[in-house]
């Protein structure tokens, strides 16, 4: 629908689709959407209690405050336009579908965990391959599987920590880190695409194998007691502060 008002005064669960685009969406008590909630930049939110999107899908755009929105590792965020989200504590989703738009984490407390799950093809399983995730000062953690930044995908940070718990790769995509920390477990590869580092430190979460097709220079290196091994197939030199691996 277009316009109007959707108000749910009593608690309940909606397994189907709620279209709140261009409308007022209000809940008076705890409400759960296990299906799809469609919103956009002209949706007016009125959440007097928690909106539980565990296992559900949120289509979003514009500025969205997530403080009263509950998610889990089965929740999907799907962009219908550029969106900026803010939350006073971190949150978890299982899937992010960019649809060629940009999702921005709008504060340093809006820490996002994407639980991508195990994937037989080592892909991220994180939605549309085209789009941008701008974490700015917030932290981003990929967990549950290997995260692969493919062509058309851009991930940028200007002051937070980017964590690949189960390993990651820049495989045609773009990873742009400024005044940030890159934390890696298992392995990290660059096989095409762009890796840009400025004022960025490297931190290990386990023994890590590193393979790069171009040079990379980190400002600092914190091994946390683990070992970093440069793969024999790596063609790019790696500088770790004053220590260089070639």
């Amino acid at each position: 629908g277009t316009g109007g008002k959707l108000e749910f005064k009593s608690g309940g669960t909606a397994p189907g689709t709620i279209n709140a685009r261009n409308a007022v969406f209000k809940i008076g008590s705890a409400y759960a959407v296990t299906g799809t909630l469609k919103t956009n930049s002209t949706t007016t939110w009125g959440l007097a209690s928690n909106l539980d999107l565990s296992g559900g899908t949120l289509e979003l755009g514009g500025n969205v405050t997530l403080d009263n929105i509950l998610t889990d590792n089965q929740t999907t965020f799907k962009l219908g336009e550029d969106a900026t989200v803010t939350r006073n504590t971190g949150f978890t989703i299982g899937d992010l579908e960019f649809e060629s738009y940009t999702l921005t984490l709008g504060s340093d407390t809006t820490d996002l965990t994407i639980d991508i799950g195990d994937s037989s093809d080592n892909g991220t399983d994180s939605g549309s391959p085209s789009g941008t995730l701008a974490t700015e000062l917030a932290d981003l953690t990929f967990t549950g599987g290997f995260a692969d930044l493919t062509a058309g995908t851009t991930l940028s940070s200007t002051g937070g920590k980017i964590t690949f718990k189960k390993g990651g790769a820049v495989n045609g995509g773009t990873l742009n880190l400024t005044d940030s920390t890159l934390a890696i477990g298992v392995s990290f590869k660059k096989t095409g695409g762009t890796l840009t580092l400025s004022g960025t430190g490297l931190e290990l979460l386990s023994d890590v194998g590193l393979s790069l097709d171009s040079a990379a220079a980190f400002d600092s290196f914190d091994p946390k007691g683990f070992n970093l091994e440069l793969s024999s197939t790596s063609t790019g030199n790696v500088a770790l502060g004053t220590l260089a691996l070639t």
Side-chain angles (χ1 to χ4, degrees):
T2 57
K5 181 177 181 181
L6 297 170
E7 184 171 6
F8 301 89
K9 295 182 179 180
S10 302
T13 300
T17 298
I18 298 175
N19 189 351
R21 292 173 179 161
N22 312 315
V24 176
F25 178 76
K26 296 184 68 175
I27 61 171
S29 57
Y31 198 80
V33 177
T34 56
T36 299
L37 174 60
K38 297 182 177 183
T39 69
N40 60 9
S41 58
T42 60
T43 298
T44 300
W45 296 80
L47 305 181
S49 188
N50 285 337
L51 173 65
D52 190 351
L53 296 179
S54 299
T57 296
L58 175 64
E59 296 185 10
L60 71 159
N63 298 316
V64 182
T65 300
L66 300 175
D67 291 345
N68 282 42
I69 296 178
L70 307 178
T71 62
D72 68 1
N73 63 359
Q74 300 298 314
T75 300
T76 295
F77 276 18
K78 181 178 181 179
L79 301 182
E81 54 189 305
D82 291 344
T84 298
V85 296
T86 56
R87 203 171 193 274
N88 54 18
T89 58
F91 67 106
T92 296
I93 61 175
D95 196 7
L96 173 58
E97 300 180 7
F98 291 108
E99 304 297 329
S100 299
Y101 296 108
T102 297
L103 178 66
T104 301
L105 305 183
S107 72
D108 61 359
T109 59
T110 311
D111 298 332
L112 171 60
T113 297
I114 301 178
D115 187 346
I116 59 180
D118 292 324
S119 176
S120 60
D121 63 357
N122 284 340
T124 61
D125 191 32
S126 55
S128 166
S130 179
T132 298
L133 177 55
T135 62
E136 298 194 343
L137 300 178
D139 297 337
L140 171 68
T141 300
F142 291 102
T143 189
F146 187 90
D148 195 2
L149 301 182
T150 54
T153 302
T154 297
L155 172 58
S156 66
S157 170
T158 54
K161 176 184 282 191
I162 307 297
T163 300
F164 295 90
K165 281 194 172 181
K166 298 293 185 180
V170 178
N171 182 22
T174 297
L175 180 59
N176 189 351
L177 305 180
T178 301
D179 298 329
S180 302
T181 299
L182 177 63
I184 302 170
V186 186
S187 68
F188 188 82
K189 301 177 182 178
K190 178 180 176 293
T191 54
T194 302
L195 174 63
T196 303
L197 304 171
S198 175
T200 293
L202 177 63
E203 178 182 307
L204 302 187
L205 305 174
S206 67
D207 290 345
V208 169
L210 192 64
S211 178
L212 305 177
D213 64 357
S214 61
F218 294 92
D219 272 29
S220 63
F221 175 51
D222 187 354
K224 302 290 187 183
F226 296 111
N227 298 315
L228 178 65
E229 179 180 355
L230 196 60
S231 169
S232 60
T233 61
S234 185
T235 57
N237 294 343
V238 180
L240 305 171
T242 58
L243 174 64
L245 298 179
T246 59

